[in-house]
């Protein structure tokens, strides 16, 4: 059983999650279990998240309210829905709060053609432009069930590593600490412009590698997008 941060004498964070699908819902469950204050939203009214709120103790809110005074914001929605987010939706977070995005571009399977990404813009750079804020790419390459069930203490054999791409600094340190607290080894994925190294179809994507293996896979990633992850 996870021990809440408060029980360990650690301060809680207010975390706003926009998106309550497999990854967003899983992070809601994991982060509330760790003692964080979570506000969660989807594209509909808060009442549609009543079951998740009752299960976890998270507060269901409208999407425009999720980031208000948040220490961390997580955006976890289908890539094609990003342009539909309200302008400035993450702007009400606390100064310096990292914005995490977990999205992936699946043109053939779900999202249709996004011209800028097809032309070579890394997925997360495109998202950052729409959000009007720097972002950190993480949680995009792990199956939701493993995110829910396979976090283990630091130093445990076979601990899964999760790449984190984004600008260096205190915000990235916060993201690293959050990944570690969830039971995974954070691995530096470079700048946001290098986040293509962990996009779908790359050697690290979906592989549950340890830290050494993840670093090697990031280094081996080719810049060309695989055919199955390009618009037909």
């Amino acid at each position: 059983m996870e021990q809440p941060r408060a029980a360990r004498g650690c301060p809680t964070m207010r975390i706003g999650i926009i998106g309550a699908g497999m990854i967003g819902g899983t992070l809601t469950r994991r982060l509330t279990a760790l003692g964080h204050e979570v506000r969660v939203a989807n594209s509909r009214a808060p009442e549609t998240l009543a079951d998740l709120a009752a299960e976890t103790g998270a507060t269901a809110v409208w999407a425009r309210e999720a980031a208000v005074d948040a220490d961390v914001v997580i955006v976890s929605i289908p890539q094609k829905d990003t342009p539909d987010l309200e302008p400035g939706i993450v702007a009400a977070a606390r100064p310096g709060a990292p914005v995490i995005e977990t999205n992936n571009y699946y043109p053939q399977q779900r999202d249709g053609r996004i011209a800028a990404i097809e032309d070579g813009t890394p997925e997360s750079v495109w998202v950052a432009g729409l959000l009007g804020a720097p972002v950190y790419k993480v949680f995009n390459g792990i199956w939701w069930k493993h995110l829910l069930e396979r976090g283990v203490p630091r130093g445990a054999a076979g601990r899964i590593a999760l790449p984190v791409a984004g600008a260096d600094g205190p915000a990235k340190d916060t993201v690293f600490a959050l990944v570690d607290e969830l039971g995974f080894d954070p691995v530096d994925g470079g700048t946001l412009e290098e986040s293509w190294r962990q996009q779908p179809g790359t050697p690290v994507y979906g592989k549950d590698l340890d830290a050494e293996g993840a670093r090697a896979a990031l280094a081996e990633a080719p810049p060309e997008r695989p055919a199955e992850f390009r618009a037909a």
Side-chain angles (χ1 to χ4, degrees), residues 4-229:
R5 290 168 63 90
R8 304 198 304 267
C10 299
T12 61
M13 290 193 293
R14 172 176 283 185
I15 299 176
I17 301 179
I18 300 170
M22 293 302 188
I23 296 296
T26 296
L27 287 169
T28 299
R29 292 177 174 88
R30 292 292 320 278
L31 293 168
T32 52
L34 288 166
H36 294 290
E37 177 188 342
V38 175
R39 292 184 176 189
V40 61
N42 59 16
S43 60
R44 297 171 290 163
E47 291 78 10
T48 62
L49 293 174
D51 289 346
L52 180 63
E55 174 193 344
T56 63
T59 301
V61 297
W62 291 99
R64 64 179 175 273
E65 300 170 333
V68 174
D69 291 329
D71 299 294
V72 176
V73 181
I74 299 170
V75 179
S76 186
I77 63 174
Q79 198 82 318
K80 64 184 177 65
D81 294 340
T82 310
D84 298 330
L85 292 173
E86 185 175 319
I89 197 165
V90 302
R94 292 178 179 174
V99 178
I100 292 169
E101 74 98 10
T102 76
N103 310 347
N104 290 307
Y105 175 50
Y106 300 126
Q108 299 179 36
Q109 301 87 347
R110 181 192 64 196
D111 296 317
R113 180 183 180 88
I114 297 175
I117 297 177
E118 290 291 328
D119 291 342
T121 300
E123 298 168 13
S124 293
V125 172
W126 181 78
V127 171
L130 291 172
L131 293 179
V135 302
Y136 292 88
K137 189 178 190 74
V138 65
F139 305 121
N140 72 295
I142 184 171
W143 186 35
W144 70 269
K145 195 170 180 63
H146 290 178
L147 180 60
L148 181 67
E149 298 176 350
R150 293 188 60 179
V152 295
R154 188 187 311 171
R159 197 184 200 212
I160 296 171
L162 300 182
V164 179
D168 290 340
K172 194 170 194 176
D173 294 342
T174 297
V175 177
F176 267 51
L178 195 64
V179 171
D180 180 56
E181 186 182 15
L182 286 163
F184 304 94
D185 278 337
V187 167
D188 194 347
T191 66
L192 196 64
E193 289 72 22
E194 295 175 281
S195 61
W196 55 266
R197 294 182 181 276
Q198 64 194 75
Q199 292 177 169
T202 58
V204 78
Y205 180 80
K207 297 298 193 297
D208 289 347
L209 302 171
D210 63 12
E212 182 178 357
R215 291 187 188 98
L218 289 167
E220 293 167 3
E224 299 81 14
R225 182 178 295 277
E228 62 268 32
F229 294 108

